[in-house]
Amino acid sequence: MFIQIEEGYDKNEAFPHKNKMDEKDPRQGHVSSDIHILPPSPYTDVRKSSFIKGKLPPENEEILPKNKNVEKPRTSFLYDPRRKTLLGRSSLNWARLALFYTIFYFCLGMFFVILLTAFAWMLDREVPRYYNKDSTMAVRTTATVVGMGFRPQPEIDDSLIRITSDPHQQIRIASSLRLYRDVYLIQRNDAKIEECSEVEPASELVPGTACSFNWFHIVNTADHPCSDNNMYGFKNEEPCVLVKLNKVYGWTPSKGPLPPRIQDLRNIHSNKSVSKPDVYITCEGSNPADKDALHDVKYYSVGKPSGSIKYGIIPNYYFPYRNAPDHVQPFVLVQFKNLPLNRLISVTCRAWEPGMEHDSKAMRGMVAFQLFRSHLIEKPNIDDR
Amino acid sequence: MFREKLTTRKNLEALKHEIDLDEHKLSINEVYRRYGTSPAMGLSEERASVILERDGPNDLTPIRRTPEIVRLAKNMFGGFAMLLWIGAVLCFIAHFLELYTLDDPQYDNMYLGIALASVIIITGFFSYHQQAKSSKIMESFKYLVPQQACVVRHGKSRNINPDKIVVGDIVEIQRGNRIPADIRIIRAHGLKVDNSSLTGECEPQVRGIEYTNDDILETRNLAFFGTFAVEGSCIGVVIRTGDKTFIGRIANLTAGIERGHTPIAVEITHFIRIITIIAVVVGVIFCICSLFLGYTYVEAVVFLISIIVAQVPEGLLATVTVCLTLTAQRMARKNCLVKNLEAIETLGSTTVICTDKTGTLTQNQMTVAHMWFDNHIIDSDIDAFHTQSNYIKYSHCWSALARCATLCNTATFTDDPNNLSKPVLQRQCEGDASEIAILKCMEDITGNVSNYRSINSKVCEVQFSSSNRYQLSIHSTDDNDERYLLVMKGAPEKIIKNCSTIYVDGCEIEFNQFWKTQYETAFKELSNHGERVLAFADYRLPLNKYPRGYEFDCDTINFHVNPYFEHFNFPTDGLRFLGLISLIDPPRVNVAEAVQKCRSAGIRLLMITGDHPLTAAAIARYTGIITDQDTTEQLIENVFDNNARSCVIHGSTLKTMNSIQLDNLIKYHQEIVFARTSPQQKLIIVETCQRLGEIVAVTGDGVNDSPALKKADIGIAMGITGSDVSKQASDMILLDDNFASIITGIEQGRIIFDNLKKSICYTLSSKIPELSPFLLYMIFQIPLPLGTIAILCIDLGTDMLPAISLAYERAESDIMKRPPRDAKTEHLATDRLISMSYGQLGMIQAGGGFFVYTIVMAENGFFPSRLFGLRKSWDSRSINDLEDSYGQEWTYEQRKALEDTCHTAFFVTVVIVQWTVLLCCKSRRNSLFRQGMSNHVLNMSIIFETLLAILISYTPYINRGLMMYPLKLHWWFLPLPFTLLVLIYDEWRKWIIRKYPGSIIDQETSY
């Protein structure tokens, strides 16, 4: 063995010996041909590549350039300049992969779109598939949870209403409410509306028609404290805040005796079940200290008496909401007068009707916002936050 | 620290060299002089204590046990767990970032971090427990130390604790003692030592005072620490103690060997690298996107972390561990005890098995193989015997041979009724291995040997000794022949000299040249089989010279003292030659079949043994390790011929080779038998194989195998015959010593690799439907379709059992017919697997998820057109009246309830689409219809995951805790189109792969 190896080295170093070498080992020059003259082995079929490599006489290894390049540099897996491969794939390979995935995703996308179209075709655009107690709106309860909203709300993630003496700020906040009013609270002349009353409640309307109710039903004169001219009260630092019940398809106040709180406020104590109760709205400070600060509150509502200092009323006949195009959700304007300066007041407004559930954590049947009255000129950048 | 490591490495290199010992070559007096001792006086106590002080006690440095806490930590922080830890830490960072910068922080990242940490800890403890259960810590070297040793000090012999023995001590060893240190023998009486744990030779070796060989293991005048004196007694001078002894060096070598990573660990590292690269790349891309979309830096960083963490496969660590454990349990039922879980897969990717001969391939029990009488070689196989029984029954020559073999035999069955009631082959015996073999053979054929012996009582005997190499005894026979019968057994060349006639076909004829040639031929044939040949002869002593009652003088004592003493008062020549009996340590049943299976599985087998080349080659031929029909001499020549397929190489030749030559030897010969190899050489052979990129399995049972066992990628020890040392050094133990169990192991190892691939493909496929909701939430500002808790429900809940059930999947094709995987190119997780899992299966699932999300949203009032850009309002607590497409207004609570309903629906969708993904992952090429549904664990897992999803969605308190909502019944059916799509697509894909191998589909999607 040693002799042979030494000979092999000699051959590579000194070419004059080449003839002798060829005589002795005819396979020397033809790397591929020596496969055929190998004795048969049980491994040939299964370990062909290593077998061939393994069977080469040692001196052949230097002739084979491949063996030298087996050790690739470490970065070559990212980009191999020699073979022009990026992450082990040539450009052609990448193109092929891209083609495959283009087709694959196109087909998958088509499948998705077709299914979705079929579904959209089946879906009713007027009536939600699930509403009221069937919908997720019921959360984990069996009754519908109705929330409330307030306006103006200039910041999406803030429930603070600033009341200032600065006219710019006043315009800013008033325009927020005006925008809302113009979009949601106006019924045009050609709107499909009908007058609603206790005898002709919303529940008996033809589908697609809405009750006649809009902003001007409450703010009926230009010198109303909450009118446009008064910048909804912000001009006088006596803001009118719009408070409304959330629209919930098909929801109506449920039958039953009025809540004790309302009975107290109305001074009519009766546990008699009311079949079509109105919705009462009250606002007060969230905390005892806030309650003291809020002593002058006025409710303007469509229900009588408007301008009450106890509560606002949304008449029962405006319910239910049926997704009519011209529907305007009935609301109550709450005017806060004589607000203390430089004091943040948390206000909670609640809706009351026999079946209404209140949960201050989940804001069921209530809404909370803050009022802050100040005379300091606000730095613009704070507001831009 | 580094220095320390360097020095230990140096020491290890030193240990790899052969022990440097020349005491056997020196004259005994020189040895005395070297150690300052004398045979009569021994050492003085004072001097002994000085030496003891210098050399340390005569025991082995105990193996440094890995502290339990370190073992636990390895399970907690190794490989995969580390990835999860990084994920968990990132989660906590993201959580704190959110906590300090956002007004309304979400706790999702914290939950995720806690979940990740718990997964790691639980899995860590689980695999630690598994490991602790199957690996018994054995301080086995301790057992090798004899209880008491008898030394001569101050001219008096006394028993001392063996760890007090020092070099130069004169020790006395009796039969049954363990040799307390490496000794040079001064005087011996029929000493035989069992060197099997050192050399693998199963027969006890004769030891005496002669220097017979350069090789320290073969020379007669040395006996080694830890070996067993089975017969005789001796006095010797201690030349090495403690760690310097032969075994001590092996023990230190074994303890010092550090093994590389297991192939599966390498694969998992590779997998982690791929996953990490993808996670980071995707994370960075979307982080940059989010900055362009106008998110703040903090938000962008939180997104980055969330995206990276979302791609951590939480359940995979547990899946892999459980899959390996299940396989380990399955293998344990087939008598393969796996000590190291990761080793299971190693066996599957093994490319070379280096097997020890004695005790592994063979039974380590001498058995009669052939007999030669009447000029015929008879196979002594019991079955063969019965077919030839008539021939044997009527052969005079056979009866003479049988009589001789029965009588000239000192072995006996252990006298115990319990023992005697056992089948012959299983009985306990006392005596020399070859005598036992003959005894058993005779008992089997003729029956009742002890009775026969008692009626042919022994008058006189000369015991076997290494110098005379025969044994004889004289009997009075019961066949009405008054003459005494002299029977003799021994080495053929010795017996033949003493014979003048030969008994053939019932006639006693002259042992002429013809018969001598016949004998030569038979002898050669038998010894070429690697068999140990014994010759038998007898002689009727003439009645006139040796009448009844003749006083035979065997002078055994005299004979032992002077081995050349041959002056008995009876003749020992002119005998009648009867025949030959040859013995072999036969291969175990099934070994040949197992070797054949290894072959077809593309695994090379190398035999490494301490035994003689001839014996080794014979067993190699018998078992099919060598398929070359050339003679053994030719095979030995083949070492120098790189074109030869097979070769047999002697340890002494191996010693002269450098590493390049060794590389070539192993590279160019497919079938190699290494004979007469030392433990160090075994280690070097294993290292060479590993250097050539092979994955090496080593099987062995002896102490001499343990360094190689430890070094190998997987060491396999024998459970019954294996020494404790070897068991400790190994990763796997064959409890039934059956080499064929290795085949099971290989098969299981290969199946588990395939199945882990499938498992990973399955587990990863749910990563896209988990990640894409977040990306869409981020980019299109839609309400989040799938929340963190739901993701955890998938990864650690519904996906776990199905992923594990794939471990039970049967092999797709005959995996034992294909070559072992190439560790360089065939990876556990390839880019194609990721592409398939993420890009195809995952995307279909995600499609299904978004489809159901859209529908749940729309049916509750939010049309897709409304959803885009809604995120900020949706997630704002201050907005209590968010309008949907039907004009309804939703409070924050209601919106979140809807969002959680969507999460539930998305989660359920993933579960339902995973049904068919699981079915698709069952096979990589085969159609599902061919693969079948016989994996009942998998079938059950589909039902289980569905039930779990139902439970999570509907059980009152559980769903509240996991923020899930009950779904409408028909939402459960919405994913079905996608479920079917997965099945149809995958069947089509596999059909293309089968029909058009090499096509673009095959190249891009077959993993």
Side-chain angles (χ1 to χ4, degrees):
Chain A
M1 172 149 204
F2 318 118
I3 300 162
Q4 206 174 359
I5 287 166
E6 277 162 24
E7 267 179 11
Y9 291 152
D10 279 346
K11 279 169 212 164
N12 285 327
E13 282 159 7
F15 275 90
H17 293 284
K18 201 167 192 332
N19 286 339
K20 192 180 107 197
M21 169 193 80
D22 282 348
E23 270 171 38
K24 260 186 81 179
D25 193 350
R27 302 167 294 124
Q28 189 81 23
H30 310 282
V31 175
S32 56
S33 69
D34 60 358
I35 302 160
H36 306 292
I37 57 164
L38 289 171
S41 155
Y43 310 103
T44 35
D45 49 346
V46 286
R47 283 176 68 91
K48 206 152 213 164
S49 60
S50 71
F51 182 65
I52 294 161
K53 203 181 90 191
K55 273 293 176 178
L56 287 171
E59 51 267 39
N60 269 2
E61 285 189 5
E62 292 188 31
I63 304 168
L64 281 174
K66 259 187 192 167
N67 290 350
K68 284 270 168 191
N69 287 320
V70 167
E71 287 294 315
K72 286 185 288 181
R74 276 193 70 80
T75 52
S76 70
F77 88 98
L78 206 63
Y79 178 69
D80 185 348
R82 197 174 54 80
R83 292 190 296 162
K84 292 200 167 51
T85 56
L86 188 66
L87 291 169
R89 287 173 180 274
S90 65
S91 49
L92 189 72
N93 212 316
W94 276 111
R96 209 173 57 176
L97 186 71
L99 178 75
F100 171 77
Y101 273 110
T102 311
I103 296 172
F104 181 81
Y105 288 145
F106 179 76
C107 295
L108 183 60
M110 288 304 289
F111 186 75
F112 185 84
V113 167
I114 288 168
L115 280 178
L116 215 56
T117 315
F119 167 76
W121 183 70
M122 291 191 294
L123 195 71
D124 191 326
R125 303 300 165 97
E126 302 302 322
V127 185
R129 177 82 165 78
Y130 297 112
Y131 60 89
N132 219 335
K133 287 174 190 166
D134 289 337
S135 130
T136 325
M137 280 196 149
V139 192
R140 285 186 206 272
T141 62
T142 47
T144 316
V145 173
V146 183
M148 294 172 76
F150 72 94
R151 289 291 184 283
Q153 189 177 16
E155 305 286 335
I156 255 181
D157 47 6
D158 205 352
S159 52
L160 177 68
I161 301 171
R162 287 170 188 278
I163 303 110
T164 65
S165 54
D166 177 19
H168 292 287
Q169 288 297 320
Q170 287 176 359
I171 290 167
R172 223 179 90 89
I173 196 124
S175 63
S176 162
L177 188 55
R178 182 180 298 122
L179 190 69
Y180 181 76
R181 186 200 70 178
D182 292 349
V183 173
Y184 290 100
L185 305 180
I186 306 291
Q187 284 173 323
R188 280 174 298 144
N189 295 333
D190 57 346
K192 285 173 76 181
I193 45 172
E194 277 180 35
E195 285 297 327
C196 294
S197 64
E198 273 165 47
V199 280
E200 287 178 329
S203 55
E204 289 174 15
L205 287 175
V206 185
T209 44
C211 287
S212 168
F213 173 81
N214 57 46
W215 171 263
F216 301 106
H217 280 70
I218 292 173
V219 186
N220 35 23
T221 55
D223 50 356
H224 189 279
C226 298
S227 72
D228 220 6
N229 292 351
N230 287 331
M231 279 184 182
Y232 318 107
F234 280 91
K235 199 175 178 181
N236 310 321
E237 296 171 44
E238 290 175 340
C240 294
V241 177
L242 183 150
V243 176
K244 61 184 177 63
L245 265 186
N246 279 358
K247 286 184 275 184
V248 175
Y249 193 95
W251 179 82
T252 45
S254 48
K255 216 164 99 174
L258 285 176
R261 173 75 195 274
I262 299 302
Q263 291 183 16
D264 288 346
L265 287 175
R266 290 181 60 188
N267 260 327
I268 305 169
H269 294 277
S270 143
N271 273 344
K272 210 175 76 189
S273 175
V274 183
S275 62
K276 287 182 174 175
D278 294 335
V279 178
Y280 293 81
I281 308 277
T282 63
C283 291
E284 56 185 359
S286 303
N287 310 307
D290 296 330
K291 278 181 187 156
D292 295 342
L294 280 185
H295 46 78
D296 201 351
V297 181
K298 212 164 192 183
Y299 301 87
Y300 300 100
S301 52
V302 70
K304 303 285 179 256
S306 183
S308 157
I309 54 159
K310 285 179 176 169
Y311 48 78
I313 290 181
I314 299 172
N316 179 281
Y317 53 79
Y318 284 115
F319 297 100
Y321 165 66
R322 284 263 165 81
N323 196 19
D326 295 305
H327 176 87
V328 168
Q329 180 72 345
F331 59 92
V332 168
L333 285 170
V334 187
Q335 189 176 29
F336 299 94
K337 292 181 173 177
N338 296 323
L339 289 169
L341 269 171
N342 297 329
R343 180 157 169 215
L344 187 73
I345 301 168
S346 294
V347 185
T348 305
C349 294
R350 287 184 168 80
W352 305 89
E353 58 90 23
M356 185 64 78
E357 190 192 346
H358 293 117
D359 182 331
S360 58
K361 203 170 159 234
M363 288 292 155
R364 291 181 188 169
M366 59 168 72
V367 68
F369 54 91
Q370 288 95 46
L371 297 172
F372 188 72
R373 183 183 173 207
S374 65
H375 280 169
L376 296 169
I377 307 277
E378 297 277 340
K379 284 174 192 161
N381 61 343
I382 295 174
D383 263 354
D384 287 349
R385 184 173 65 93
Chain B
M1 180 83 185
F2 179 72
R3 261 185 97 93
E4 201 176 290
K5 209 161 192 181
L6 206 71
T7 50
T8 48
R9 179 156 302 163
K10 228 179 224 169
N11 286 344
L12 204 63
E13 284 304 317
L15 284 170
K16 272 186 205 168
H17 294 295
E18 300 295 322
I19 188 167
D20 182 25
L21 204 149
D22 60 352
E23 275 82 355
H24 57 302
K25 298 179 194 164
L26 304 177
S27 79
I28 191 70
N29 286 327
E30 271 178 84
V31 176
Y32 295 146
R33 213 170 307 134
R34 178 178 289 183
Y35 295 108
T37 185
S38 75
M41 292 300 289
L43 294 171
S44 65
E45 285 292 348
E46 295 76 34
R47 191 170 155 71
S49 62
V50 169
I51 299 173
L52 188 65
E53 191 77 15
R54 185 193 69 192
D55 291 350
N58 174 34
D59 55 13
L60 299 170
T61 319
I63 297 164
R64 200 153 37 92
R65 272 170 61 173
T66 326
E68 295 297 297
I69 190 81
V70 174
R71 287 153 58 87
L72 185 64
K74 266 187 187 161
N75 282 312
M76 292 275 186
F77 298 100
F80 214 87
M82 209 57 222
L83 179 75
L84 296 191
W85 275 122
I86 294 170
V89 168
L90 284 178
C91 278
F92 289 121
I93 292 174
H95 175 66
F96 284 113
L97 271 179
E98 269 189 296
L99 205 60
Y100 288 112
T101 57
L102 300 182
D103 305 326
D104 182 24
Q106 300 286 311
Y107 287 83
D108 288 13
N109 276 320
M110 194 186 72
Y111 297 146
L112 188 57
I114 293 171
L116 282 174
S118 355
V119 166
I120 310 161
I121 292 168
I122 292 169
T123 326
F125 271 108
F126 179 76
S127 50
Y128 167 74
H129 172 72
Q130 283 296 326
Q131 229 173 43
K133 208 166 68 176
S134 48
S135 73
K136 273 182 287 172
I137 310 289
M138 295 167 287
E139 290 184 319
S140 44
F141 281 106
K142 285 260 183 250
Y143 300 134
L144 297 179
V145 180
Q147 292 307 306
Q148 286 286 307
C150 184
V151 299
V152 177
R153 296 247 172 107
H154 273 314
K156 286 180 199 143
S157 70
R158 62 175 71 181
N159 281 330
I160 63 165
N161 219 351
D163 60 0
K164 298 282 188 299
I165 287 179
V166 296
V167 288
D169 265 332
I170 306 295
V171 291
E172 293 170 9
I173 290 147
Q174 304 297 322
R175 171 192 173 136
N177 285 359
R178 286 216 187 256
I179 316 276
D182 286 1
I183 56 168
R184 160 82 193 255
I185 295 163
I186 306 168
R187 227 176 324 159
H189 295 285
L191 178 67
K192 278 193 178 180
V193 290
D194 178 12
N195 267 0
S196 63
S197 70
L198 293 183
T199 61
E201 284 164 309
C202 67
E203 292 169 73
Q205 302 292 303
V206 176
R207 285 293 175 266
I209 56 170
E210 319 85 1
Y211 160 58
T212 54
N213 201 312
D214 203 31
D215 191 309
I216 55 162
L217 283 173
E218 285 188 60
T219 186
R220 288 224 169 128
N221 54 3
L222 293 178
F224 294 98
F225 174 70
T227 58
F228 200 66
V230 275
E231 270 180 51
S233 60
C234 78
I235 297 173
V237 54
V238 174
I239 53 173
R240 293 286 186 277
T241 58
D243 288 338
K244 295 195 196 67
T245 58
F246 196 83
I247 268 193
R249 287 170 63 93
I250 295 176
N252 280 330
L253 185 58
T254 309
I257 289 169
E258 279 171 38
R259 184 181 289 155
H261 296 289
T262 56
I264 192 80
V266 172
E267 288 306 318
I268 284 176
T269 316
H270 178 254
F271 170 68
I272 290 172
R273 200 193 302 151
I274 291 183
I275 288 288
T276 315
I277 290 173
I278 291 178
V280 170
V281 167
V282 172
V284 167
I285 289 174
F286 283 95
C287 175
I288 293 168
C289 280
S290 67
L291 286 175
F292 277 113
L293 287 169
Y295 289 98
T296 61
Y297 286 107
V298 176
E299 280 174 317
V301 169
V302 172
F303 284 156
L304 171 73
I305 294 175
S306 306
I307 293 169
I308 291 175
V309 170
Q311 293 179 70
V312 173
E314 297 94 345
L316 207 53
L317 174 64
T319 306
V320 170
T321 312
V322 173
C323 282
L324 290 175
T325 311
L326 286 173
T327 311
Q329 282 170 356
R330 209 177 314 161
M331 281 164 77
R333 279 199 292 277
K334 291 181 179 169
N335 288 321
C336 295
L337 183 71
V338 181
K339 280 170 61 188
N340 179 2
L341 279 185
E342 287 183 350
I344 298 167
E345 194 281 320
T346 313
L347 203 52
S349 41
T350 295
T351 54
V352 172
I353 297 177
C354 295
T355 170
D356 181 38
K357 179 183 75 72
T358 314
T360 310
L361 296 178
T362 68
Q363 300 167 356
N364 198 7
Q365 191 176 43
M366 272 293 177
T367 310
V368 174
H370 295 98
M371 296 177 192
W372 180 75
F373 59 88
D374 281 353
N375 203 13
H376 284 288
I377 290 178
I378 305 275
D379 197 329
S380 81
D381 194 358
I382 301 301
D383 294 335
F385 242 94
H386 286 298
T387 57
Q388 298 168 346
S389 58
N390 279 341
Y391 170 63
I392 287 163
K393 219 174 273 172
Y394 299 113
S395 163
H396 295 284
C397 203
W398 156 251
S399 8
L401 180 65
R403 180 175 65 187
C404 179
T406 312
L407 295 179
C408 188
N409 192 329
T410 50
T412 53
F413 290 111
T414 309
D415 199 8
D416 169 15
N418 193 17
N419 185 38
L420 292 175
S421 62
K422 283 186 198 162
V424 176
L425 284 176
Q426 290 164 21
R427 283 187 211 167
Q428 293 280 322
C429 302
E430 284 166 15
D432 177 273
S434 38
E435 293 209 311
I436 289 171
I438 295 171
L439 171 70
K440 283 185 175 170
C441 176
M442 290 306 146
E443 176 81 15
D444 213 37
I445 298 166
T446 61
N448 214 346
V449 168
S450 59
N451 186 38
Y452 189 75
R453 280 187 189 162
S454 63
I455 55 176
N456 295 284
S457 59
K458 196 187 286 176
V459 182
C460 160
E461 70 173 336
V462 174
Q463 278 182 6
F464 184 86
S465 86
S466 52
S467 45
N468 58 3
R469 292 163 68 210
Y470 67 76
Q471 78 182 72
L472 65 80
S473 56
I474 297 167
H475 299 263
S476 57
T477 55
D478 70 330
D479 54 355
N480 306 323
D481 196 331
E482 284 292 295
R483 294 175 293 177
Y484 282 111
L485 178 74
L486 185 150
V487 283
M488 190 187 235
K489 172 183 82 178
E493 64 273 20
K494 188 82 187 169
I495 302 294
I496 211 102
K497 269 189 221 152
N498 296 349
C499 291
S500 57
T501 59
I502 181 166
Y503 197 46
V504 183
D505 294 332
C507 309
E508 195 173 336
I509 50 179
E510 192 198 345
F511 200 24
N512 56 18
Q513 203 52 48
F514 171 77
W515 285 110
K516 286 212 167 126
T517 323
Q518 290 297 320
Y519 148 79
E520 285 290 344
T521 320
F523 175 69
K524 214 169 202 166
E525 188 176 343
L526 292 176
S527 51
N528 255 339
H529 282 123
E531 290 167 14
R532 185 167 163 205
V533 186
L534 290 173
F536 292 84
D538 67 358
Y539 183 59
R540 283 283 181 189
L541 295 168
L543 197 57
N544 53 357
K545 271 190 180 170
Y546 309 99
R548 282 282 153 142
Y550 180 82
E551 200 70 29
F552 290 101
D553 176 18
C554 297
D555 200 358
T556 311
I557 305 302
N558 207 350
F559 183 72
H560 270 294
V561 175
N562 176 12
Y564 306 102
F565 175 90
E566 293 234 341
H567 302 292
F568 306 119
N569 59 355
F570 52 90
T572 55
D573 51 3
L575 308 181
R576 176 176 72 162
F577 190 81
L578 295 174
L580 301 170
I581 291 181
S582 68
L583 303 145
I584 198 161
D585 176 16
R588 293 171 186 279
V589 278
N590 300 336
V591 165
E593 199 187 333
V595 167
Q596 193 47 48
K597 278 187 181 160
C598 283
R599 277 281 150 71
S600 58
I603 299 168
R604 280 171 76 187
L605 276 155
L606 308 180
M607 184 197 269
I608 310 181
T609 176
D611 213 339
H612 196 272
L614 274 181
T615 324
I619 295 293
R621 278 217 190 81
Y622 195 93
T623 52
I625 288 175
I626 283 186
T627 50
D628 212 318
Q629 292 308 314
D630 290 343
T631 61
T632 308
E633 288 77 15
Q634 179 60 44
L635 292 177
I636 293 172
E637 293 285 308
N638 279 349
V639 171
F640 306 105
D641 178 9
N642 284 340
N643 294 320
R645 188 168 75 225
S646 323
C647 75
V648 174
I649 179 163
H650 196 278
S652 55
T653 319
L654 199 61
K655 211 184 271 180
T656 60
M657 293 177 121
N658 61 28
S659 61
I660 297 165
Q661 291 168 328
L662 204 55
D663 280 6
N664 290 335
L665 174 77
I666 290 171
K667 227 192 286 183
Y668 300 125
H669 295 95
Q670 286 296 328
E671 303 164 345
I672 312 175
V673 169
F674 295 90
R676 284 280 182 243
T677 43
S678 66
Q680 283 85 351
Q681 284 175 333
K682 290 192 181 198
L683 179 62
I684 288 165
I685 293 164
V686 171
E687 280 177 338
T688 309
C689 290
Q690 284 174 335
R691 196 166 52 232
L692 293 172
E694 310 277 9
I695 309 267
V696 187
V698 170
T699 64
D701 60 343
V703 176
N704 58 337
D705 299 316
S706 44
L709 284 172
K710 185 86 180 282
K711 181 70 197 174
D713 294 291
I714 176 167
I716 304 163
M718 297 291 144
I720 302 170
T721 54
S723 59
D724 289 342
V725 184
S726 66
K727 284 183 201 166
Q728 198 174 43
S730 65
D731 304 289
M732 207 173 101
I733 298 168
L734 301 181
L735 293 176
D736 56 355
D737 282 15
N738 189 352
F739 185 77
S741 307
I742 293 178
I743 303 299
T744 318
I746 292 169
E747 198 171 357
Q748 292 296 333
R750 288 182 177 189
I751 291 176
I752 198 66
F753 187 81
D754 277 11
N755 287 348
L756 274 181
K757 235 176 182 182
K758 294 170 185 174
S759 239
I760 288 176
C761 183
Y762 173 81
T763 313
L764 288 186
S765 70
S766 61
K767 276 288 135 194
I768 288 295
E770 286 164 7
L771 181 67
S772 52
F774 185 76
L775 297 182
L776 263 63
Y777 160 79
M778 203 184 86
I779 292 172
F780 297 114
Q781 311 248 344
I782 57 172
L784 188 64
L786 186 68
T788 310
I789 294 179
I791 290 176
L792 290 176
C793 284
I794 296 172
D795 283 351
L796 303 177
T798 55
D799 257 8
M800 288 291 276
L801 194 63
I804 291 166
S805 75
L806 282 170
Y808 288 98
E809 196 56 40
R810 66 187 176 85
E812 255 174 272
S813 53
D814 195 348
I815 47 167
M816 294 307 282
K817 289 260 158 64
R818 70 180 195 212
R821 84 185 165 90
D822 184 345
K824 285 194 202 76
T825 56
E826 271 182 72
H827 291 297
L828 190 61
T830 56
D831 53 345
R832 280 174 299 180
L833 185 144
I834 304 271
S835 154
M836 173 73 200
S837 185
Y838 275 15
Q840 294 155 43
L841 297 176
M843 287 307 273
I844 297 177
Q845 280 190 51
F850 282 110
F851 174 66
V852 175
Y853 166 78
T854 313
I855 287 177
V856 173
M857 277 292 191
E859 290 195 338
N860 275 290
F862 287 91
F863 292 169
S865 52
R866 179 80 182 104
L867 293 174
F868 286 106
L870 197 60
R871 183 186 79 95
K872 212 165 177 200
S873 311
W874 183 277
D875 287 339
S876 166
R877 268 184 192 278
S878 305
I879 291 186
N880 223 15
D881 54 348
L882 189 76
E883 201 177 41
D884 69 12
S885 307
Y886 292 97
Q888 302 189 92
E889 289 168 318
W890 296 67
T891 64
Y892 180 79
E893 185 204 17
Q894 288 168 327
R895 294 196 302 270
K896 284 295 160 185
L898 178 56
E899 187 181 316
D900 288 344
T901 309
C902 287
H903 295 179
T904 314
F906 205 114
F907 157 72
V908 164
T909 306
V910 170
V911 169
I912 290 173
V913 183
Q914 286 277 57
W915 288 351
T916 45
V917 172
L918 182 65
L919 296 184
C920 293
C921 288
K922 271 165 76 91
S923 63
R924 295 195 288 150
R925 289 179 57 86
N926 282 356
S927 158
L928 175 64
F929 302 100
R930 202 173 145 211
Q931 186 73 4
M933 292 290 287
S934 57
N935 182 348
H936 295 298
V937 181
L938 185 135
N939 301 344
M940 284 309 296
S941 77
I942 291 181
I943 295 169
F944 170 81
E945 70 169 337
T946 314
L947 287 177
L948 188 63
I950 291 172
L951 184 90
I952 287 175
S953 170
Y954 292 111
T955 318
Y957 291 97
I958 293 175
N959 62 16
R960 195 172 286 231
L962 295 173
M963 307 213 291
M964 298 280 189
Y965 278 84
L967 296 185
K968 309 273 179 208
L969 183 68
H970 79 268
W971 290 341
W972 287 82
F973 298 101
L974 293 176
L976 290 178
F978 290 88
T979 310
L980 280 175
L981 180 67
V982 168
L983 192 66
I984 292 164
Y985 167 68
D986 203 66
E987 281 298 311
W988 172 78
R989 184 184 69 86
K990 284 173 188 160
W991 180 75
I992 295 279
I993 288 176
R994 289 193 304 271
K995 183 126 189 188
Y996 306 106
S999 62
I1000 170 170
I1001 302 285
D1002 185 17
Q1003 284 182 32
E1004 295 302 341
T1005 68
S1006 80
Y1007 55 93

